Amino acid sequence: MPRPAGAEPEEAISGWRRDRRGLLELARELRRRCLGDRLEISAHIHMITPCRVRPPCRYCSLSSSLDAIRRRRAVLSYAELQDSMALALRSGVDSVVLVGGSDLSGLDAQLLRAVKVALAVAPGIPLDVDTGPSISVEGLRALRSLGVRAVFSAVETTSPRDFEEAKPGDSLSERIRLLRDAHELGLRTGTVIMNGLGDPIRTLVDLRREAPWLDYIYVSTFSPVPGTPWEGREPASASGSVYLVALARLMFPCAHVALADVLPEAGNTSGYLIHELAAGAGNTFSGLLVYKDTSLNYVDELRRAWQRQILK
């Protein structure tokens, strides 16, 4: 069966406005046609590199005045990274994403060492990295030679004004540059859009036109973190994020689309699983979140949800 082409943005948005229930049904059918019914559960291991973005993003836990919240973004030692990889293997995940902070001046050496440490524990597991615009072209080539599968760079919004408001120390152009460089080198690529920052539908439209080759698209839902400059902002709608997943499926029919991980302080990720599966998300989901001082494991719950929603 030929792979379906993505809907033109105007067509997808028009359908969303006319018939949201029909949109969800179409999104589920596109997922099946493109990706089948195989589930891939990943582990997200935080943090393998420090974040040196200054000032820090206004919504991020690293900008919190509360030490307990900032500590959740502490960088793992290499011994802790080894233990985290061993936990991922014991949990039965299918792939691992190494998550780190960003540094516009580059983190090639530290990132490459972390990847080597991780692969020494689990040499055969598919490994992805998500450290933002911290990697040079030479670093990308080295990651590819080590067998890294995908590189993530979360743009969150394509509006320069909204990006600057939320992430004054970061660079939208560098995040997009990393995605293009990785794609041109043959690596898979993924990004995140944020519901609650600017116009997420416009961001989807921009990505569809400028980066139709994206392999992974995650939709995050803004939730204010205590002690941050944005702690008083209204949280975004979880149901709105589910519809964004469906819109992303229409525009990127063969990409892996899902809700982004909900951090421990933001709520219960498992509450979203049934809804996002119904919205055409899949087939890759994070079932294990590992931080320096805690971990969240819902691998078994995710498998049960998949059985109920997909393999019924």
Side-chain angles (χ1 to χ4, degrees), residues 16-32:
W16 172 70
R17 289 172 175 161
R18 287 195 317 270
D19 181 7
R20 293 194 178 190
R21 183 180 296 275
L23 170 72
L24 297 180
E25 292 175 358
L26 178 57
R28 290 195 296 272
E29 177 58 26
L30 284 172
R31 183 203 58 76
R32 286 192 178 95

Side-chain angles (χ1 to χ4, degrees), residues 26-151:
L26 178 57
R28 290 195 296 272
E29 177 58 26
L30 284 172
R31 183 203 58 76
R32 286 192 178 95
R33 288 173 60 190
C34 275
L35 302 174
D37 288 333
R38 179 185 177 274
L39 173 65
E40 179 180 317
I41 299 180
S42 64
H44 280 62
I45 295 176
H46 309 248
M47 303 269 288
I48 62 163
T49 55
C51 185
R52 299 195 179 109
V53 170
R54 296 292 180 272
C57 302
R58 298 187 190 281
Y59 56 80
C60 180
S61 55
L62 285 174
S63 68
S64 177
S65 59
L66 305 177
D67 289 341
I69 290 178
R70 287 200 309 275
R71 280 199 298 272
R72 291 176 180 170
R73 289 301 199 215
V75 177
L76 300 175
S77 68
Y78 291 121
E80 289 169 332
L81 175 56
Q82 290 174 321
D83 291 342
S84 299
M85 290 296 298
L87 173 61
L89 290 179
R90 291 196 303 274
S91 299
V93 300
D94 304 299
S95 61
V96 172
V97 183
L98 299 180
V99 182
S102 298
D103 186 340
L104 296 178
S105 66
L107 288 169
D108 283 5
Q110 192 164 349
L111 173 58
L112 290 169
R113 183 175 178 191
V115 168
K116 291 175 182 177
V117 168
L119 289 175
V121 177
I125 200 163
L127 191 70
D128 307 329
V129 298
D130 180 1
T131 58
S134 309
I135 316 169
S136 68
V137 173
E138 292 74 19
L140 288 171
R141 290 194 181 99
L143 290 175
R144 184 182 63 182
S145 70
L146 288 171
V148 166
R149 178 179 64 172
V151 170

